[in-house]
Amino acid sequence: MTHHSLTVDRIERGLVIDHISAGSGMKIYHHLNLDDLDCAVAMIRNVKSGKYGHKDIIKIENNIYLDLNVLGYLDPNITVNVIEDGVITGKQKLILPTRIRNIVKCKNPRCITSIEQEVDHIFELTNEGARSYRCVYCEQAAPKTE
Amino acid sequence: MLRLGGSVIGFESSGSSSASKGESVADTIRIVSSYADVCAIRHPKEGAALVASRHALIPVINAGDGGHQHPTQTLTDLMTIYNVKGRLDRLTIGFCGDLKFGRTVHSLISACVKYHGVSFILVSPRELKLPGYVREEIEAAGAPCAETDNLGETIADMDVLYMTRVQRERFFNEEDYVRLKDTYILNKQKLASARPDLAVMHPLPRVNEISTEIDRDPRALYFKQAEYGCYIRMALIKDLLKEARG
């Protein structure tokens, strides 16, 4: 029996979002609004990974601006590789952002954000070890990302 | 404000303000900023005062935001405790009743964890336990904290007993309110096992969680506490106005 492995062409210039937790790739895709891009975007799921078992990868054939805060909040294990002329020229390791704005919404019906339309949904990191965030207005915990 | 020589612009009720017409807190405070030198805001939504402060051109005092915080009551409470105990450290403070929506409880605990040697006894039914964010503050400070649903068994260990009312307005469900409202009633019998120098406090108004039979007990401090509230708020307003005018 012959095993065929799926291959996705390497990109000459752009970004590779690597080490995404397996199954989280589409969530990252949507949060980054990658649907709106005109360039080629490859979403690869369940790739074998020595470090994590399996992982998802997103390749973007363009050097777009990425909100690293969004990525750091959603999955701090992600690495972002910058590709120029077919080679990695930069690697960005993410950290947990101390504050996130309009990435998740406060679910507390008693919170002012439930009625005040012009207010941003802002959460602050309150426990780095537990990766927990709380709403700056009502201190409700942010929904877990995993 | 009136005792300081100032005047007050207010609303008879929330129904007569533009908020009832759907005006945002941000817009309301922008308008109030044009007419007043300082603003005290009480609002049913948590975080409303923070939103107001970000859009105001004048000092904003949080006079209670939903079931979240009530910092001026905390100034009142600290003043009361200090006047009767002579210190704010090395105290065992019991909180009894609605610890979930009791904003005065949340603010007072946030303040008390900053003092050395303070420990807490939290007395509440399971449904009205302290929210996670306040509990995290206690844990971060490393303050000893015991939780129970039995006031009678723990009252003897307390230096301060802070009673709270189960508030109808915090419940979405009337049935839950009715079921929980009479869980704790402090009466002579319960107070008999307390220390002779216990400080019984309450942010008021009370309904029936403190029996009127103990109003004359020297340990009952809640009316004195209310009096201190007037002084401390006068001091706060004076301080804020002084600061605002440079």
Side-chain angles (χ1 to χ4, degrees):
Chain A
M1 186 176 163
T2 310
H3 287 279
H4 294 283
S5 59
L6 176 68
T7 56
V8 175
D9 281 350
R10 66 180 201 164
I11 55 176
E12 282 300 306
R13 179 175 176 275
L15 300 168
V16 176
I17 306 172
D18 201 357
H19 300 118
I20 302 170
S21 302
S24 299
M26 283 311 291
K27 189 170 65 181
I28 302 285
Y29 182 93
H30 290 304
H31 270 288
L32 294 174
N33 296 318
L34 299 182
D35 254 349
D36 298 342
L37 295 179
D38 292 332
C39 61
V41 177
M43 165 79 217
I44 313 160
R45 299 185 61 207
N46 284 324
V47 182
K48 278 188 181 164
S49 160
K51 201 171 175 184
Y52 300 108
H54 286 86
K55 65 179 181 179
D56 293 355
I57 301 171
I58 298 173
K59 294 187 176 187
I60 306 165
E61 201 174 45
N62 200 351
N63 242 336
I64 61 161
Y65 165 75
L66 273 187
D67 187 342
L68 297 180
N69 270 353
V70 177
L71 289 177
Y73 169 70
L74 294 172
D75 190 345
N77 294 320
I78 285 174
T79 51
V80 178
N81 299 326
V82 182
I83 313 291
E84 294 286 350
D85 298 323
V87 295
I88 297 175
T89 57
K91 233 180 219 298
Q92 287 174 306
K93 184 83 179 142
L94 304 181
I95 53 164
L96 277 178
T98 53
R99 176 177 270 231
I100 53 173
R101 185 184 293 264
N102 294 332
I103 295 175
V104 284
K105 290 199 165 187
C106 184
K107 303 281 188 200
N108 179 6
R110 297 177 178 84
C111 181
I112 187 67
T113 56
S114 67
I115 58 163
E116 192 88 352
Q117 288 190 9
E118 65 178 280
V119 172
D120 287 341
H121 288 245
I122 304 170
F123 288 80
E124 279 183 347
L125 182 64
T126 52
N127 186 327
E128 195 168 348
R131 288 174 57 191
S132 56
Y133 287 79
R134 289 198 178 275
C135 172
V136 297
Y137 301 104
C138 70
E139 303 186 64
Q140 172 93 355
K144 287 285 177 191
T145 54
E146 290 177 350
Chain B
M1 191 67 182
L2 294 173
R3 291 177 75 168
L4 286 169
S7 58
V8 176
I9 309 166
F11 314 108
E12 271 183 35
S13 68
S14 59
S16 60
S17 74
S18 291
S20 65
K21 299 170 191 164
E23 185 177 57
S24 67
V25 170
D27 281 3
T28 300
I29 198 69
R30 284 175 183 126
I31 304 306
V32 171
S33 288
S34 310
Y35 288 83
D37 298 304
V38 63
C39 172
I41 175 171
R42 174 167 290 184
H43 197 282
K45 290 291 183 184
E46 300 174 7
L50 180 60
V51 170
S53 71
R54 288 180 173 171
H55 293 89
L57 303 171
I58 55 175
V60 173
I61 298 169
N62 181 3
D65 59 333
H68 183 220
Q69 299 283 350
H70 196 339
T72 65
Q73 181 64 44
T74 291
L75 293 175
T76 304
D77 299 339
L78 293 174
M79 184 178 176
T80 307
I81 295 171
Y82 188 79
N83 274 348
V84 72
K85 297 288 180 188
R87 66 182 194 279
L88 293 170
D89 58 357
R90 294 173 288 110
L91 292 168
T92 298
I93 306 176
F95 291 89
C96 178
D98 179 0
L99 310 190
K100 182 177 181 182
F101 300 118
R103 57 193 178 195
T104 62
V105 172
H106 307 159
S107 290
L108 184 54
I109 290 178
S110 293
C112 288
V113 294
K114 294 175 173 61
Y115 293 94
H116 176 72
V118 171
S119 58
F120 301 99
I121 299 173
L122 308 176
V123 187
S124 70
R126 185 173 48 81
E127 296 89 338
L128 296 176
K129 281 187 167 185
L130 201 66
Y133 68 88
V134 190
R135 191 183 309 277
E136 284 172 12
E137 285 192 60
I138 296 174
E139 287 166 7
C145 179
E147 280 191 288
T148 177
D149 59 3
N150 193 319
L151 176 60
E153 284 179 4
T154 49
I155 195 169
D157 299 324
M158 300 172 185
D159 297 307
V160 175
L161 170 57
Y162 197 93
M163 292 294 294
T164 61
R165 172 174 61 100
V166 175
Q167 304 162 89
R168 169 179 265 138
E169 60 270 29
R170 303 282 171 246
F171 287 84
F172 289 137
N173 182 338
E174 178 75 6
E175 278 177 26
D176 286 344
Y177 166 70
V178 170
R179 184 167 52 82
L180 295 167
K181 70 185 177 71
D182 295 329
T183 310
Y184 300 105
I185 296 174
L186 183 65
N187 53 24
K188 265 188 176 173
Q189 188 194 350
K190 283 204 180 78
L191 204 56
S193 53
R195 292 175 181 170
D197 62 345
L198 173 72
V200 179
M201 297 171 61
H202 191 299
L204 303 181
R206 78 169 150 189
V207 181
N208 61 349
E209 59 279 3
I210 297 180
S211 170
T212 53
E213 67 186 8
I214 69 163
D215 287 355
R216 286 166 191 250
D217 190 299
R219 292 171 288 188
L221 296 178
Y222 28 91
F223 296 122
K224 197 71 189 166
Q225 186 183 351
E227 182 189 336
Y228 289 149
C230 179
Y231 306 143
I232 203 87
R233 288 175 176 115
M234 286 169 71
L236 177 65
I237 290 169
K238 195 173 173 208
D239 204 51
L240 287 172
L241 289 174
K242 195 174 158 189
E243 201 174 292
R245 287 175 179 172

